[in-house]
Amino acid sequence: MANPVYILALVLGLLSESLAAINPVIYNVLDSGAKADGKTDSTAGFMKAWSAACGTTNPAIIYAPPGRYLLKNARFRGQCKNKAIRIRIEGTLVAPSDYNVIGNAGNWLLFEGADGVSIEGGFLDGQGTGLWACKTSGKTCPTGATTLGISNSKNVAINGLTSLNSQMFHIVINGCDNVKVQGVKVLASGNSPNTDGIHVQLSTRVTILNSKISTGDDCVSIGPGTSNLWIENVACGPGHGISIGSLGKDLKEAGVENVTVKTVTFKNTQNGLRIKTWARQSSGYVRGVMFQHAIMNNVQNPIVIDQNYCPNNKNCPGQVSGVKISDVTYEDIHGTSATEVAVKFDCSKTNPCHGIRMEDVNLTYKNQAAKASCANAAGTTSGLIEPTSCL
């Protein structure tokens, strides 16, 4: 017969473990030395709270109460003892007003090697307006920092976060698996340089849902090595649209495949649904893309494939793109173009686009029929197609 004391101890142990799972340990950044005055450097306080949460085997919450917290560049490294760390922000994290402090750091806030981390609520204020002005003036300036970088991580969630005035990109997801971004707002001036809303590269199983992005560059940019990406219910504008690319800058480059973009709206944007590749040799590819249920409101280039991207005519004049584009579907795309050419497929001479499918596309220009332009593109159409297809 089993020892009753042993059985009781075992039950109590299991009970305490289950209670710990139900009641996570809370680390308040104020208890770690952070100050919610927007002036005192609180970087060390946040790092101390992260180290404590990362070091416990129990689920943990890092809590930032209402207020403003000044942070310099902070690197939150993974390899934690638990895979359930929630960072609950009820205040605003503020970057230094002097853009030189973090301008060459690459990232302002970087999560590296994380597993099972969620970032919830709050505001991230990159204070990027000074750097934008510097760049516009033609002076020598720092490159600028990405506001929030998620690198080489898995099982990450970003919920209800607002990113304001990033120096460079707002959110970058790089080398990750299973990242869910939901209810995010990105806000920056329409003329702010290189302030992409969400950039994804070398990552798989990324989902972007129910978000609103207003910025000076791509609302969402999709880089090399992206697969199984799902974007749904995203509003874009101002900005440069949702772009796959630019791709093909490097000779050996990972491809992009299995991308779904659905139920999206574009208002006063430079582009709508764009695929962009450098006009130079590359092993890259784009395949298995579904653009579905999109509304265009005064968009300069609602549907565009540009395989002759060659900024400033450097390192690519006279060359053609090696990126192979195939199996791209445009379904239920409606609205207004700000230019006469609403559909433009400018594909590679040596690697023509094929398997382009258009179904129920209706785009107008100034209440009249718009135009379509095709070069080196082949595909099929069904349903109502306006402008008249050139495939």
Side-chain angles (χ1 to χ4, degrees):
M1 183 176 175
N3 186 331
V5 175
Y6 170 76
I7 294 174
L8 180 61
L10 184 64
V11 170
L12 288 173
L14 291 171
L15 184 61
S16 65
E17 283 182 19
S18 63
L19 285 172
I22 296 169
N23 299 306
V25 186
I26 298 175
Y27 298 94
N28 189 320
V29 296
L30 296 177
D31 298 333
S32 301
K35 302 290 183 186
D37 59 8
K39 299 175 183 177
T40 307
D41 183 0
S42 293
T43 312
F46 274 76
M47 297 310 298
K48 185 178 178 182
W50 171 261
S51 295
C54 189
T56 181
T57 55
N58 296 327
I61 296 175
I62 297 171
Y63 176 58
R68 292 174 67 82
Y69 302 87
L70 174 63
L71 268 72
K72 296 177 181 176
N73 56 294
R75 199 171 189 173
F76 302 94
R77 297 179 184 272
Q79 287 81 51
C80 296
K81 291 184 179 179
N82 78 83
K83 296 180 180 179
I85 298 177
R86 294 170 56 200
I87 301 170
R88 178 67 191 162
I89 305 167
E90 290 195 357
T92 301
L93 311 190
V94 187
S97 56
D98 178 359
Y99 53 75
N100 289 296
V101 176
I102 63 168
N104 287 315
N107 292 273
W108 173 30
L109 308 172
L110 175 64
F111 289 83
E112 193 171 36
D115 184 358
V117 170
S118 65
I119 304 165
E120 303 169 7
F123 292 80
L124 306 180
D125 185 353
Q127 298 221 85
T129 53
L131 181 60
W132 307 341
C134 179
K135 289 181 176 181
T136 304
S137 71
K139 296 177 184 175
T140 301
C141 320
T143 305
T146 289
T147 285
L148 176 62
I150 312 293
S151 180
N152 300 316
S153 299
K154 59 185 178 180
N155 308 317
V156 173
I158 303 171
N159 297 316
L161 181 75
T162 299
S163 178
L164 306 168
N165 298 334
S166 182
Q167 288 188 357
M168 276 272 286
F169 292 11
H170 287 259
I171 299 171
V172 170
I173 298 165
N174 174 49
C176 294
D177 177 23
N178 189 28
V179 177
K180 188 171 185 179
V181 180
Q182 188 164 357
V184 161
K185 290 182 181 177
V186 169
L187 295 168
S189 165
N191 58 11
S192 55
N194 307 119
T195 53
D196 293 46
I198 302 172
H199 178 73
V200 182
Q201 65 180 25
L202 300 172
S203 297
T204 188
R205 297 195 300 157
V206 175
T207 305
I208 301 169
L209 303 174
N210 309 329
S211 296
K212 188 178 189 314
I213 302 171
S214 305
T215 190
D217 211 298
D218 293 330
C219 290
V220 181
S221 53
I222 301 159
T226 299
S227 64
N228 303 314
L229 171 66
W230 190 281
I231 299 169
E232 185 174 0
N233 195 21
V234 169
C236 170
H240 292 184
I242 293 178
S243 295
I244 297 176
S246 56
L247 304 176
K249 188 175 183 181
D250 298 323
L251 182 61
K252 291 187 177 181
E253 188 177 273
V256 172
E257 60 186 330
N258 298 336
V259 174
T260 298
V261 179
K262 66 181 295 185
T263 317
V264 289
T265 60
F266 300 89
K267 185 175 182 181
N268 301 324
T269 54
Q270 189 181 94
N271 306 286
L273 305 166
R274 174 168 66 163
I275 300 174
K276 179 173 70 170
T277 75
W278 284 71
R280 53 200 290 180
Q281 288 304 303
S282 175
S283 62
Y285 59 83
V286 177
R287 61 191 181 216
V289 178
M290 167 64 84
F291 295 120
Q292 187 181 50
H293 309 318
I295 297 173
M296 308 285 173
N297 186 345
N298 195 42
V299 174
Q300 290 179 39
N301 304 292
I303 294 174
V304 58
I305 296 178
D306 176 9
Q307 290 208 263
N308 288 294
Y309 180 62
C310 187
N312 303 316
N313 285 319
K314 290 183 178 179
N315 303 319
C316 41
Q319 298 187 52
V320 290
S321 178
V323 176
K324 297 174 178 62
I325 298 176
S326 62
D327 188 20
V328 180
T329 299
Y330 301 87
E331 181 184 317
D332 185 29
I333 316 294
H334 294 260
T336 58
S337 175
T339 61
E340 194 171 14
V341 178
V343 176
K344 184 177 183 180
F345 297 134
D346 187 10
C347 297
S348 170
K349 288 181 181 177
T350 55
N351 298 286
C353 301
H354 64 92
I356 306 295
R357 288 185 289 274
M358 301 188 76
E359 180 180 344
D360 295 324
V361 174
N362 187 3
L363 297 166
T364 60
Y365 169 63
K366 291 185 176 179
N367 296 319
Q368 297 177 349
K371 293 182 179 179
S373 169
C374 293
N376 312 306
T380 60
T381 63
S382 63
L384 173 69
I385 303 294
E386 290 290 346
T388 303
S389 173
C390 55
L391 288 172

